[in-house]
Amino acid sequence: MGLIRFLRGAKLLGQTKEIQGKSLVEHAYAANVDIATNCKSGNCGSCMVTLLSGKVSLPEPLTEGIDEEIVELGARLGCIGIPSGDVDVDILPLI
């Protein structure tokens, strides 16, 4: 089991142990960190965060709220992204 850490820039906001099969938003809630959400299905993009390190899986095909170009830059959707192992996430989106 990994450690999921939530940052804003260099500031650590909270962390929690990996909860198998749970989304980044659910991990953030467990760490007492707020990530904006709206649709909870990956369509609106309001929960976009930036993956700094580690692995966060996304569904194939990608949903309307995210595209391959920004995924390559580290963008992930907190409502549908599932972390695996040690993960560091900046709660501020790339865009």
Side-chain angles (χ1 to χ4, degrees), residues 34-78:
D34 289 326
I35 293 179
T37 60
N38 191 18
C39 72
K40 298 182 182 162
S41 62
N43 290 315
C44 73
S46 67
C47 63
M48 189 177 297
V49 296
T50 303
L51 179 64
L52 301 174
S53 66
K55 180 180 177 190
V56 175
S57 65
L58 291 172
E60 290 286 336
L62 292 174
T63 60
E64 293 179 21
I66 197 164
D67 63 43
E68 196 64 45
E69 184 178 318
I70 60 174
V71 166
E72 290 177 13
L73 296 173
R76 297 294 184 275
L77 295 178

